[in-house]
Amino acid sequence: MKRFILSTACLLIALSHAARSQDTSANKTPSPQPKPKAARVHASRKQRPSLERTPANVRLSYADALRRYQHHRHNRFWWRQHFTAIALVGGGYYYWDAGYWFPAWGYDPVYEYYDYDGPIYTYGNLLPDQVILNVQRALQDEDYYAGGLTGSLGPATRQAIANYQQDAGLIVTGAIDAATVEWLGLN
């Protein structure tokens, strides 16, 4: 219901802005358009919205986290310049950004094994494997997951998450997101 109200409000705001611009442009002569500037090869940080810092208390939706995901291979110096929290978990390094842990590809080529190549929602300053372990335990209690408590987001765990999300009426992602964690009572 909140999403419907929010999307309706955004639509009304956009329509009112469009109506205002038509009213004011009807009385004016069109101004000359500036010439387009040549593209820069090395974009500044402000021109790359995916690298903008997000305040610690802001939590992204899973869809926004997917769009923000830096699935590029960089060395450890690049990762350290752009993200403050980086942790070795299991077989790979993860970086933290806006409430999610993401694989840090290239941080250390020796440690580049990820069961799941996508964002993992976190809460309570937990590392990705701890969050996964808690979700596995909660899904076992709800009879959705029969596997072992591994802290690994493998295919069996993702399928159990997807089944739970479907039965709970959530958006089915098969991944750990804020809504799933909240519905499991883990916050």
Side-chain angles (χ1 to χ4, degrees):
M1 184 66 181
K2 289 180 184 177
R3 286 184 185 163
F4 174 74
I5 293 171
L6 183 60
S7 62
T8 304
C10 290
L11 179 63
L12 290 174
I13 290 169
L15 289 174
S16 67
H17 285 294
R20 274 192 228 136
S21 67
Q22 286 180 352
D23 289 344
T24 57
S25 64
N27 298 331
K28 294 183 181 179
T29 59
S31 60
Q33 296 295 321
K35 293 181 182 179
K37 294 181 180 179
R40 293 176 58 187
V41 175
H42 299 286
S44 69
R45 180 176 287 188
K46 290 182 180 179
Q47 291 174 325
R48 294 185 288 182
S50 61
L51 293 179
E52 288 180 5
R53 300 282 185 216
T54 303
N57 60 349
V58 172
R59 298 291 178 151
L60 300 176
S61 70
Y62 182 75
D64 289 338
L66 275 175
R67 282 190 289 274
R68 190 178 184 91
Y69 178 26
Q70 292 290 315
H71 187 100
H72 302 288
R73 190 171 302 284
H74 299 289
N75 64 27
R76 76 178 58 227
F77 303 108
W78 186 93
W79 287 111
R80 287 180 182 167
Q81 286 178 344
H82 292 85
F83 300 98
T84 56
I86 299 172
L88 175 61
V89 178
Y93 281 90
Y94 288 82
Y95 69 93
W96 184 88
D97 186 26
Y100 287 85
W101 286 101
F102 302 85
W105 293 99
Y107 186 86
D108 185 345
V110 175
Y111 295 99
E112 281 198 336
Y113 175 76
Y114 304 100
D115 290 331
Y116 171 70
D117 182 20
I120 300 171
Y121 179 78
T122 190
Y123 60 95
N125 296 324
L126 297 177
L127 293 173
D129 60 338
Q130 296 166 327
V131 173
I132 295 166
L133 189 68
N134 290 346
V135 168
Q136 287 174 330
R137 187 176 294 118
L139 290 171
Q140 269 187 347
D141 293 345
E142 298 283 333
D143 294 327
Y144 282 91
Y145 180 67
L149 300 175
T150 61
S152 172
L153 196 55
T157 304
R158 290 196 307 267
Q159 185 60 53
I161 292 170
N163 292 342
Y164 180 81
Q165 289 168 334
Q166 184 174 11
D167 291 349
L170 302 172
I171 297 172
V172 179
T173 61
I176 298 173
D177 57 14
T180 304
V181 166
E182 185 177 330
W183 272 80
L184 287 169
L186 296 175
N187 272 348

